[in-house]
Amino acid sequence: MQELALIQPGSTSRSAADSGGLESEAALRAAFESRLAECGPLAFRVARGVLRNTADAEDVAQEALLRAYRRFHRLRDRDRFRAWLVRITFRLALDRARSARRRALREALWSRPEGIPPAANAEDLAIRRQFEAHLHGALDELPEKLRLVLLLAAMQGNTLEEVAAILRVPMGTVKSRLFFARKQLAEKLRCRVKSLDLR
């Protein structure tokens, strides 16, 4: 992964006195860099676990680190930096994955020659799209720590050992979160299907 250039666009160096007693830009940068050596590779691992593509994961990790640097002055508890960075990276990777799916669907539709009907009929496509919408909606309703484990393990094909390594949590924690994530996801999907049946 390329090294992140920690230059905040449009910013100028200020002393602690100039900023009204707040941390100087140099102090913020030093505090951020002290965490970057340990947590920088974590951003790539999380992005790679979601996207399964090294180039995209590098892009997302760079964007996540830059965003974290720009917002670092707002982070009150610096001991929470690791979890905070994971959340930023995970959200950016999800956005990239969703964008890629939409782009692939558009390209598939545009590349289909005119006059050749799609393999599935309109009803099948509508049902598939409806299910995907319900699945994404149900996933979004899961607590973040459950959603992350489910995505990395069940949907992206990582082993439990890989998920534990990416998140740096014990294997038992990964198994427990995965169990509850699957259970909650199934219940949320059942509720969505029932609400449709009642209409």
Side-chain angles (χ1 to χ4, degrees):
M1 193 174 87
Q2 297 175 352
E3 184 178 350
L4 178 68
L6 296 178
I7 299 174
Q8 190 168 1
S11 67
T12 55
S13 181
R14 296 176 303 167
S15 68
D18 293 338
S19 59
L22 299 175
E23 277 185 287
S24 69
E25 190 110 1
L28 278 171
R29 181 181 175 124
F32 184 84
E33 287 180 342
S34 70
R35 289 159 178 82
L36 189 60
E38 178 193 356
C39 298
L42 175 64
F44 173 76
R45 290 198 306 271
V46 170
R48 181 72 174 81
V50 173
L51 298 168
R52 310 296 286 180
N53 177 291
T54 299
D56 286 345
E58 285 183 349
D59 289 345
V60 166
Q62 289 287 328
E63 186 178 349
L65 291 170
L66 184 57
R67 188 169 296 190
Y69 176 63
R70 286 175 173 161
R71 298 177 180 175
F72 188 64
H73 66 281
R74 296 187 212 162
L75 183 62
R76 294 180 181 174
D77 184 0
R78 301 281 166 82
D79 292 335
R80 301 286 300 157
F81 178 81
R82 183 185 183 80
W84 182 62
L85 180 61
V86 167
R87 282 196 302 274
I88 292 172
T89 308
F90 181 58
R91 287 180 184 139
L92 288 173
L94 276 183
D95 288 345
R96 174 70 67 98
R98 288 172 183 155
S99 176
R101 281 195 297 268
R102 287 193 295 268
R103 186 171 60 250
L105 179 59
R106 282 196 305 271
E107 289 173 356
L109 292 173
W110 290 341
S111 66
R112 186 184 302 127
E114 289 186 25
I116 298 178
N121 61 35
E123 185 179 355
D124 291 338
L125 287 174
I127 291 171
R128 185 183 311 155
R129 286 184 188 134
Q130 189 176 44
F131 174 76
E132 287 178 357
H134 288 309
L135 178 60
H136 291 304
L139 276 170
D140 288 342
E141 291 173 6
L142 290 176
E144 189 173 283
K145 63 182 182 181
L146 299 184
R147 186 170 67 243
L148 179 56
V149 169
L150 184 64
L151 189 72
L152 291 175
M155 297 184 171
Q156 298 297 331
N158 291 291
T159 65
L160 296 183
E161 291 84 358
E162 288 171 336
V163 176
I166 289 170
L167 300 179
R168 289 195 181 175
V169 297
M171 178 73 71
T173 301
V174 172
K175 290 179 179 178
S176 173
R177 288 180 183 176
L178 187 57
F179 171 79
F180 286 112
R182 286 174 170 159
K183 184 177 179 180
Q184 288 186 29
L185 181 64
E187 183 59 35
K188 289 178 186 300
L189 285 173
R190 273 195 298 271
C191 290
R192 286 171 174 267
V193 170
K194 284 180 185 176
S195 68
L196 283 177
D197 293 340
L198 293 174
R199 290 179 185 175

